[in-house]
Amino acid sequence: MASPGFDATTSSNFFFSEEHHLLRAQVRRFVEEEIKPHADAWEKEGSTPRDVLRKMGELGFFGIRYPEEYGGSAMDELATVVLAEELGRCTYAGVAITVLVHTDMASVHIFNAGNDAQKAKYLPKVVSGEIITAVGVTEPDAGSDVKGIRTTARWDGSHYVLNGSKMFITNGVLGDVYCVAAKTDTSGPASQSVTMFIVEKGTPGFSVSRSLDKHGWRSSDTAELSFADVRLPADAVLGQEGRGFYEIMKNFQNERLVLGAMSMGEAQAALELTVDYVRERKAFGAPLWDKQVIRQKLAELTTKVEMGRQMIYATAARAAAGEQLVREVSMIKAYCGELVNEVMYACVQFHGGMGFMSESPIERMSRDARVQAIGGGATEVMLEEVAKRM
């Protein structure tokens, strides 16, 4: 008999409205009907199909935070947490990150910094899923250290000329629109020299250098991008020239909250799978669940996951009320990124030899989870953010 798992509709009414609960139910139903039965094939193909993404757009999943004028539903940070957590629970984190990069890490730059014309041009198609977005910040020598960006954009007559490369870009192969960070002033302070640009697929000089093969997240496409004398008009600038660093930092808070929620969704799903497994798997004449050390370890991890989840909910509610929460979001990213890996380690262990087999969901999930302590701000960087505010 399957374990009942976590039901936010009954345990978190303090944070969530009926609209949030309806969203959760809709995403969970989509996961069960449209993702889980097919995603093994997507793992082999290396990407999530565009028709699936388009269907998610039609259902409104891509516009939950965007205004109604662009086809969105104008919900809040708690809605984003619901989406991320439920996608994390799907057990295919590559699918989850494909969606969440589009909704909360890339297109959000157009919404936050774009002018009216840019928003009107791109956001309706972002919401519908007609276009998929990616964000180009990370480089071989500049990941969490955004000030270390080396890609440049110089003004030449009537255009900017973009040169450089980006690495580890989710949606990089199959995306349509890219929000790319480049230095427009190589002599000034690093924090005042980065500018964000909109670059469309097919722009001369812009290419995908290679598709990257990954340890996990295999149902998402990841690329290295190249920019060789890419000429961009002035209206390709997102926001103000030289303000890109602050735009990136601003959205890192949302991104890290999203990744924390996704991590706790992954961890919760892993625990539910493992509880079911150890109730059935026998060793020394009895189910593993009968061993006190197994039960208590799973209980301990369930407690930790609940603590992480509740901090995410509380922080999202405070963010929705307008608070700036760099300290708390940094804590969430550090704690949840490490915790999901602690959970996966124990769950693989309790699956025994089956946990090491590629046919086992927990094997895939353990690989997918590893990057949660790296991407979006490595644990060590997050702890420094916390330390600066102590």
Side-chain angles (χ1 to χ4, degrees), residues 253 325-328 330 384-390:
Q253 304 319 306
L325 301 163
V326 176
R327 173 178 172 270
E328 287 79 0
S330 299
E384 280 300 298
E385 291 298 318
V386 176
K388 283 189 272 187
R389 293 162 176 82
M390 288 173 64

Side-chain angles (χ1 to χ4, degrees), residues 60-89:
F61 298 156
F62 293 169
I64 58 176
R65 292 281 295 281
Y66 294 141
E68 294 178 6
E69 64 185 288
Y70 304 120
S73 50
M75 295 179 74
D76 58 11
E77 284 84 348
L78 283 163
T80 294
V81 163
V82 168
L83 177 66
E85 188 177 8
E86 289 303 316
L87 288 175
R89 289 183 75 257

Side-chain angles (χ1 to χ4, degrees), residues 154-269:
R154 59 180 175 83
W155 183 251
D156 179 34
S158 59
H159 287 74
Y160 288 93
V161 180
L162 184 67
N163 281 284
S165 64
K166 298 294 177 180
M167 182 63 87
F168 312 131
I169 306 304
T170 300
N171 299 346
V173 178
L174 301 177
D176 305 293
V177 175
Y178 302 74
C179 299
V180 179
K183 282 193 172 177
T184 45
D185 179 4
T186 56
S187 60
S191 63
Q192 298 174 33
S193 63
V194 176
T195 302
M196 294 292 290
F197 294 89
I198 298 175
V199 183
E200 296 185 8
K201 175 169 282 185
T203 302
F206 168 44
S207 63
V208 176
S209 302
R210 58 189 173 122
S211 176
L212 301 173
D213 193 18
K214 306 188 297 298
H215 176 64
W217 283 3
R218 298 189 68 84
S219 47
S220 74
D221 71 271
T222 307
E224 180 180 2
L225 308 178
S226 174
F227 306 92
D229 292 332
V230 178
R231 297 185 67 82
L232 300 172
D235 62 7
V237 173
L238 264 176
Q240 297 180 348
E241 182 175 317
R243 295 291 299 175
F245 174 79
Y246 299 102
E247 291 298 331
I248 294 166
M249 290 298 106
K250 176 181 178 181
N251 194 57
F252 264 156
Q253 304 319 306
N254 182 69
E255 179 176 338
R256 289 162 181 168
L257 185 65
V258 166
L259 289 171
M262 177 182 165
S263 294
M264 292 301 89
E266 293 175 66
Q268 182 64 40

Side-chain angles (χ1 to χ4, degrees), residues 358-373:
S358 58
E359 66 188 87
S360 171
I362 203 67
E363 183 273 338
R364 178 187 66 250
M365 295 170 71
S366 68
R367 286 187 286 103
D368 285 345
R370 184 62 187 89
V371 75
Q372 292 287 21

Side-chain angles (χ1 to χ4, degrees), residues 15-154:
F15 294 108
F16 296 111
S17 67
E18 183 62 26
E19 190 177 17
H20 292 124
H21 292 317
L22 290 172
L23 173 64
R24 188 184 292 276
Q26 188 179 28
V27 177
R28 189 171 293 191
R29 183 166 57 249
F30 186 89
V31 164
E32 293 296 328
E33 296 176 358
E34 304 290 344
I35 295 179
K36 285 186 176 182
H38 312 292
D40 281 342
W42 308 343
E43 290 278 302
K44 295 176 182 177
E45 293 163 5
S47 63
T48 301
R50 290 296 292 262
D51 64 324
V52 175
L53 299 176
R54 185 65 185 272
K55 190 177 295 186
M56 295 182 78
E58 292 171 354
L59 289 170
F61 298 156
F62 293 169
I64 58 176
R65 292 281 295 281
Y66 294 141
E68 294 178 6
E69 64 185 288
Y70 304 120
S73 50
M75 295 179 74
D76 58 11
E77 284 84 348
L78 283 163
T80 294
V81 163
V82 168
L83 177 66
E85 188 177 8
E86 289 303 316
L87 288 175
R89 289 183 75 257
C90 84
T91 79
Y92 294 90
V95 179
I97 201 63
T98 297
V99 173
L100 296 172
V101 163
H102 173 63
T103 57
D104 284 274
M105 301 171 203
S107 65
V108 69
H109 285 286
I110 299 174
F111 178 66
N112 286 341
N115 57 38
D116 290 343
Q118 290 168 331
K119 292 178 183 179
K121 179 179 180 180
Y122 294 109
L123 287 182
K125 292 183 179 180
V126 164
V127 170
S128 69
E130 291 177 70
I131 64 173
I132 297 299
T133 55
V135 57
V137 175
T138 302
E139 299 180 3
D141 297 318
S144 296
D145 178 17
V146 176
K147 293 180 181 179
I149 286 172
R150 294 184 180 180
T151 297
T152 61
R154 59 180 175 83

